[in-house]
Amino acid sequence: MRLTDSQKQQFDRDGYLFFPGLFAPAEIKTLIDAVPALYARREVYNVREKGSEAVRTNFAAHLYSEPFARLARHPRMVEPVEDLLGEKLYMHQFKINGKQAFAGDVWQWHQDYGTWRNDDLMPTERAMNIAIFLDDVVEFNGPLMFIPGSHKRGVIDAKHDVTTTSYPLWTIGDDLIRSLVERAGDKNGGIVAPKGPRGSMLVFHSCLVHASTSNLSPWDRVSVYLSLCAVSNHIRRHKRPEYIAHRDFTPISVLPDDCLLKNYPVDLPWKQGMPASALETSLDVLPDAPPLRVAHA
Amino acid sequence: MRLTDSQKQQFDRDGYLFFPGLFAPAEIKTLIDAVPALYARREVYNVREKGSEAVRTNFAAHLYSEPFARLARHPRMVEPVEDLLGEKLYMHQFKINGKQAFAGDVWQWHQDYGTWRNDDLMPTERAMNIAIFLDDVVEFNGPLMFIPGSHKRGVIDAKHDVTTTSYPLWTIGDDLIRSLVERAGDKNGGIVAPKGPRGSMLVFHSCLVHASTSNLSPWDRVSVYLSLCAVSNHIRRHKRPEYIAHRDFTPISVLPDDCLLKNYPVDLPWKQGMPASALETSLDVLPDAPPLRVAHA
């Protein structure tokens, strides 16, 4: 699946592309069916909501779950990002975000690249986010909200929010959000929230400012969020555990297009459990690291 | 302004009526302009958001602010409710809810009558909520969400939530919300969130189940919420302070239709400050109280 010039221009302007219903219900079903068993595990890679047992984020399922390992190598997901970054990719982060019915809490406005740069020393913003909907996303179950074009602002100074929600995040100040939204059209398109059936896919720039509100509805809004990074742009520090920020920079080889319908063999390095080394962290800079380039701030 | 039979049938079925743009911008402006000075007061009737200075709710402005005193007597607001309840009305509660940009927090699913019954011993659900938008209400600034038809369920057992948000509320369990939403059409209309320009009005049944999510947008969503109660249905206990649950059961006399544009004189009993008696509370039942009727639960 390759992008058209028009799609590339749209991505450059808005910072995201939306593919409603890209994966068929039968393809998504194998993923959905695997989630409850993953969420039930009492493991450090399941981060729960404040004051609740509901899972907010499951990390690194592609290393221990066959269906998600196949999704991580799916050509419909990987190839558009290769087109946009013009390079082979590795998996920087892999999450199944719960945003569960009644319990799913707010994510404040943030850029993902801010965290990757500050924590992981990822050199530039040459990495991309992909969201794949495992549930229908509607107005009422906390859809992802974007400020179109906000990726053009480059890396934004942010403050480390460790109190508002259940997962620490580098979040952006109110005044800047206000001006970005105004520049994007204020109440006429200054914020967008793409909605669609399960199986839809969003590709968005790692500097695109996004947030999501709480889910008060009775409808789960489980999504897979993957972050694909250009291999040459791999992180230069292992300050965060490996289940959050991956350390294997091997380029992804895609499987055939029907890989969510047929049981192609996949490697599952953490199938027998996460290795102790995945929890080891360090502030050392990797020896082959070039100087950290400040993106067009 | 009188309701048509079709509007009355719609209200009976859905539990609410929506009047987009009912008040003109010039009419709303006098109200909007008065809000900041009211919110700035360090008074007990300004309830602030958890961990923030933003006002969540201002109470009883119609007793000390001229523009809001006129709104409280506006025929376009009072007459439709007289039509629905078939009786003269008094003001049970008067709030200006902030739901301010970036700071406005969640209101969990609840019925208002649950609180009025449990706390105030209001005999039946013959009271009505009115919301008047002082800001445009859009998808992103935490619009009020309704479960259409949920008023037919009558009074629902609720638990007193004093922890989730900044204002104690009798909230409803997840399983019942799920079944009410399913009965109302699930993802096809099971939840609605009427949106419209400032000056729009919502009238909704005191048993209609509603909620609203947090406001992460840069747009305030200030609304006036008034609760009009049939005079014969007045509360039988002053367990809550008077600025929250009013004790003057005098029927409202409406002003002329242009009362937000001309300075008709209005009585402002709390203009010089709230009397100390407004804070006095009691668990005694008023002497003239008939037995409390349990609504069709």
Side-chain angles (χ1 to χ4, degrees):
Chain A
M1 188 178 115
R2 297 297 172 182
L3 296 181
T4 66
D5 284 348
S6 151
Q7 285 174 312
K8 288 178 192 171
Q9 286 158 19
Q10 191 183 335
F11 178 84
D12 179 63
R13 185 189 67 220
D14 297 336
Y16 71 95
L17 289 172
F18 185 42
F19 304 90
L22 181 71
F23 296 95
E27 294 180 306
I28 291 297
K29 188 173 185 308
T30 59
L31 301 169
I32 293 169
D33 290 349
V35 171
L38 297 178
Y39 275 5
R41 298 182 186 192
R42 311 302 307 189
E43 298 278 359
V44 67
Y45 51 64
N46 276 331
V47 175
R48 291 169 199 276
E49 297 282 5
K50 266 187 180 173
S52 144
E53 279 299 288
V55 169
R56 180 173 176 84
T57 299
N58 162 281
F59 284 97
H62 67 306
L63 300 181
Y64 47 84
S65 160
E66 285 198 19
F68 288 99
R70 293 189 189 103
L71 179 68
R73 294 160 177 79
H74 202 293
R76 262 176 268 159
M77 188 268 294
V78 174
E79 287 172 1
V81 180
E82 286 180 347
D83 275 6
L84 290 168
L85 294 178
E87 191 182 332
K88 295 301 271 184
L89 309 166
Y90 82 96
M91 184 69 66
H92 170 57
Q93 196 169 67
F94 191 104
K95 297 180 287 189
I96 309 172
N97 273 17
K99 186 70 84 173
Q100 290 184 67
F102 301 113
D105 201 358
V106 160
W107 291 83
Q108 303 287 351
W109 293 107
H110 68 285
Q111 296 176 311
D112 285 358
Y113 178 60
T115 302
W116 304 340
R117 180 169 176 270
N118 292 327
D119 285 346
D120 307 327
L121 296 188
M122 184 186 284
T124 77
E125 71 276 28
R126 288 175 49 74
M128 201 73 74
N129 276 314
I130 295 96
I132 294 168
F133 302 174
L134 299 196
D135 285 302
D136 301 339
V137 173
V138 299
E139 178 184 344
F140 301 110
N141 58 357
L144 206 53
M145 303 187 289
F146 295 142
I147 304 175
S150 56
H151 63 302
K152 300 265 188 192
R153 182 65 178 64
V155 186
I156 293 168
D157 279 337
K159 67 175 204 301
H160 209 196
D161 175 5
V162 291
T163 58
T164 316
T165 52
S166 328
Y167 182 71
L169 211 58
W170 293 86
T171 59
I172 301 169
D174 294 351
D175 289 343
L176 185 52
I177 295 297
R178 195 183 302 276
S179 86
L180 289 170
V181 169
E182 277 171 13
R183 201 173 63 176
D186 209 38
K187 284 181 190 159
N188 299 109
I191 301 177
V192 298
K195 298 164 202 79
R198 52 182 64 183
S200 300
M201 180 172 87
L202 275 164
V203 173
F204 59 103
H205 194 285
S206 63
C207 287
L208 192 70
V209 177
H210 59 287
S212 71
T213 188
S214 43
N215 180 5
L216 297 183
S217 85
W219 309 308
D220 289 339
R221 200 222 71 183
V222 179
S223 302
V224 185
Y225 288 92
L226 333 104
S227 307
L228 294 174
C229 184
V231 170
S232 67
N233 191 46
H234 69 79
I235 62 172
R236 306 305 201 220
R237 186 164 75 173
H238 300 329
K239 185 185 168 189
R240 300 195 294 171
E242 189 176 1
Y243 67 89
I244 295 179
H246 297 303
R247 299 170 186 176
D248 177 356
F249 309 139
T250 313
I252 296 171
S253 296
V254 298
L255 290 171
D257 192 74
D258 59 355
C259 64
L260 289 176
L261 300 172
K262 292 187 184 164
N263 291 335
Y264 294 98
V266 278
D267 192 30
L268 293 177
W270 292 6
K271 189 167 187 183
Q272 305 308 324
M274 190 173 69
S277 62
L279 294 173
E280 285 168 16
T281 58
S282 163
L283 291 177
D284 292 346
V285 178
L286 299 190
D288 63 336
L292 187 69
R293 183 173 78 77
V294 177
H296 48 284
Chain B
M1 189 180 116
R2 296 296 170 184
L3 296 181
T4 65
D5 284 348
S6 151
Q7 285 174 313
K8 289 179 190 169
Q9 285 158 18
Q10 191 182 334
F11 178 85
D12 179 64
R13 184 189 67 218
D14 298 336
Y16 71 96
L17 289 172
F18 185 41
F19 305 89
L22 181 71
F23 296 95
E27 294 180 305
I28 290 298
K29 188 172 184 310
T30 59
L31 301 169
I32 293 169
D33 290 348
V35 171
L38 298 178
Y39 276 6
R41 298 184 186 191
R42 311 302 308 188
E43 297 278 0
V44 67
Y45 51 63
N46 277 330
V47 175
R48 292 169 199 277
E49 297 282 5
K50 264 188 180 172
S52 145
E53 279 299 287
V55 169
R56 181 172 176 85
T57 298
N58 163 281
F59 284 97
H62 67 305
L63 299 181
Y64 47 85
S65 162
E66 286 198 18
F68 287 99
R70 294 191 188 102
L71 180 68
R73 294 158 176 80
H74 202 293
R76 263 176 268 159
M77 187 268 294
V78 175
E79 288 172 1
V81 180
E82 286 180 348
D83 274 6
L84 289 169
L85 294 179
E87 190 180 334
K88 295 301 271 184
L89 309 166
Y90 82 97
M91 184 69 65
H92 170 56
Q93 196 168 65
F94 191 105
K95 297 180 286 186
I96 310 172
N97 273 15
K99 186 69 87 172
Q100 291 184 68
F102 301 113
D105 202 358
V106 159
W107 290 84
Q108 303 287 351
W109 293 107
H110 67 284
Q111 295 177 312
D112 285 359
Y113 178 60
T115 302
W116 305 338
R117 180 168 177 272
N118 292 326
D119 285 346
D120 307 327
L121 297 188
M122 184 186 284
T124 77
E125 71 278 28
R126 287 177 47 77
M128 200 73 74
N129 278 313
I130 295 96
I132 295 167
F133 301 175
L134 299 196
D135 285 301
D136 302 339
V137 173
V138 299
E139 177 183 344
F140 301 111
N141 58 356
L144 205 54
M145 303 187 289
F146 295 142
I147 303 175
S150 56
H151 63 302
K152 299 265 187 192
R153 182 66 177 65
V155 187
I156 294 169
D157 278 338
K159 67 176 203 305
H160 209 197
D161 176 7
V162 290
T163 58
T164 316
T165 53
S166 328
Y167 182 73
L169 211 61
W170 293 87
T171 60
I172 300 170
D174 294 350
D175 289 343
L176 184 52
I177 295 297
R178 196 183 302 277
S179 85
L180 289 170
V181 170
E182 277 171 13
R183 201 174 64 176
D186 209 37
K187 284 181 189 158
N188 298 108
I191 301 177
V192 297
K195 297 163 202 80
R198 53 183 63 185
S200 300
M201 180 172 87
L202 275 164
V203 173
F204 59 103
H205 194 284
S206 63
C207 288
L208 192 70
V209 177
H210 59 288
S212 72
T213 188
S214 43
N215 181 4
L216 297 182
S217 85
W219 308 307
D220 287 340
R221 199 222 71 180
V222 178
S223 302
V224 184
Y225 289 91
L226 331 107
S227 307
L228 295 174
C229 183
V231 169
S232 67
N233 191 45
H234 69 78
I235 61 172
R236 306 306 200 218
R237 186 164 74 174
H238 300 328
K239 185 185 168 191
R240 300 196 296 172
E242 190 176 1
Y243 67 90
I244 295 179
H246 297 303
R247 300 170 186 177
D248 176 358
F249 310 138
T250 312
I252 296 172
S253 297
V254 299
L255 290 171
D257 192 74
D258 59 355
C259 64
L260 289 175
L261 299 172
K262 292 187 184 166
N263 292 336
Y264 294 98
V266 279
D267 192 29
L268 292 178
W270 292 7
K271 191 170 186 182
Q272 305 307 324
M274 192 172 72
S277 63
L279 294 173
E280 285 167 16
T281 59
S282 162
L283 292 177
D284 293 347
V285 178
L286 298 190
D288 65 335
L292 187 69
R293 182 172 79 79
V294 177
H296 48 285

